[in-house]
Amino acid sequence: MNTLTQIIAQPDFDIVDIAKSRHTAKGYDASKKISDADIAKVKELLRFSPSSTNAQPWHFILASTAEGKERVAKGTDEKYPFNSPSIRAASHVVVFAARKALKPDYLLDVLNKEEADGRYVGDPETQKAQMHAGRNMFLNLHKDELHDEQQWNEKQVYLNVGQFLLGVAALGIDATPMEGFDPVALDAEFGLSEKGFTSLVVVPIGYSDATTDYNAALPKSRMTVADILTEV
C-alpha cells in the first residue's frame, strides 16, 4: 500500500496531506484499471470545476480502450515519444480542450442550464439578464480590449486541470499532466478544431508501476513559504 493510499484510507485524512503526497507518475501498471465507480467520480470532477463567470469553456475526451489510447498517442508518437508509454499503459487518459471562442449560442445554453438548475429565483428574468450582461462584459473585455479571448478560456481549463489533479489524488488515483504533445495532430485526430476547440493538456490516470515510476520515491521539492508568500 503506497503512502497516498494509506492517507486516503484514514477516515480523517487531511487535504494538505493529499497535496504533499501526490506526484506526477512516470510509469503505469497496465494491469490495474480504475473502477467504474471511481470513473463516475472522475467525470464529476471534470464537470464541477470553477471557471470565470461559470463559462465552462472546455471539452474533454476520455479514452479507456486500447483503441482510444492509441488515438491519443498520435499526439505524442512523433514529437514526444517519451510520453507515449504512459498514455498506452494508463487505465484512462483525459484530453482537456479549450474553446477558442465563446459564441452567443453557447452562452445562452449556459444561461438556460443555470436557470434549469435553479440558480435564478425570485425574479428569474431580471437575474438572468444581469448574469448574461455580466458574463458578456468580461467576454468583451477579453475579446475586444485585451484581445486574449482564447487565452482567457485556456486559463479556465487550467483551473480545471489543477482541481482535477488534486481530486483524482484524493481518490487514490495517480496522474501525469502533459503539455508534451502535438495539439495540431491531436485536434485533427478528434476533429476538435471543427468543433471550435483546441487540445491543451493530456492527463493519463491510473495506478503507478513501482518498477518504472522513478518519481514516486523521490522527495518533493518546493520553495519555502517565506520564498513564495507575502503576508500583510
Side-chain angles (χ1 to χ4, degrees), residues 1-14 17-18 21-22 169-174:
M1 182 179 290
N2 62 40
T3 302
L4 183 56
T5 304
Q6 290 173 328
I7 292 171
I8 300 300
Q10 300 301 313
D12 58 346
F13 76 85
D14 189 328
D17 291 335
I18 302 297
S21 298
R22 64 148 301 278
L171 294 173
I173 297 170
D174 295 307

Side-chain angles (χ1 to χ4, degrees), residues 144-206:
D144 301 328
E145 296 185 35
L146 300 176
H147 306 291
D148 67 346
E149 180 184 357
Q150 182 174 332
Q151 184 182 28
W152 181 52
N153 290 338
E154 291 175 355
K155 288 177 181 178
Q156 312 316 312
V157 178
Y158 272 99
L159 286 178
N160 198 310
V161 173
Q163 174 169 287
F164 182 79
L165 295 178
L166 185 61
V168 295
L171 294 173
I173 297 170
D174 295 307
T176 308
M178 297 176 175
E179 290 182 315
F181 69 95
D182 181 356
V184 175
L186 204 55
D187 289 357
E189 175 63 26
F190 290 100
L192 289 172
S193 292
E194 294 85 356
K195 300 171 185 175
F197 297 95
T198 184
S199 52
L200 197 61
V201 183
V202 173
V203 186
I205 56 176

Side-chain angles (χ1 to χ4, degrees), residues 36-144:
D36 290 343
D38 277 347
I39 286 298
K41 294 177 182 179
V42 165
K43 293 175 182 177
E44 293 298 87
L45 284 172
L46 294 171
R47 287 185 63 219
F48 282 92
S49 172
S51 60
S52 180
T53 72
N54 196 34
Q56 307 165 64
W58 44 56
H59 186 77
F60 313 100
I61 296 166
L62 178 63
S64 59
T65 64
E67 293 78 11
K69 288 182 281 187
E70 283 297 326
R71 293 182 68 187
V72 176
K74 290 182 180 180
T76 56
D77 281 346
E78 181 177 352
K79 296 183 178 180
Y80 305 91
F82 50 84
N83 277 333
S84 296
S86 288
I87 290 173
R88 291 188 168 95
S91 172
H92 293 65
V93 182
V94 182
V95 177
F96 288 74
R99 285 185 179 272
K100 296 179 182 180
L102 295 174
K103 300 293 182 65
D105 287 350
Y106 172 71
L107 293 181
L108 287 176
D109 287 342
V110 172
L111 194 69
N112 290 331
K113 185 64 167 68
E114 289 171 335
E115 181 180 30
D117 287 338
R119 289 190 60 83
Y120 304 121
V121 296
D123 186 357
E125 291 307 313
T126 299
Q127 292 174 351
K128 282 179 65 179
Q130 291 172 340
M131 185 65 211
H132 193 53
R135 190 175 282 131
N136 275 282
M137 179 189 73
F138 282 101
L139 170 59
N140 292 333
L141 170 67
H142 287 279
K143 182 172 65 174
D144 301 328

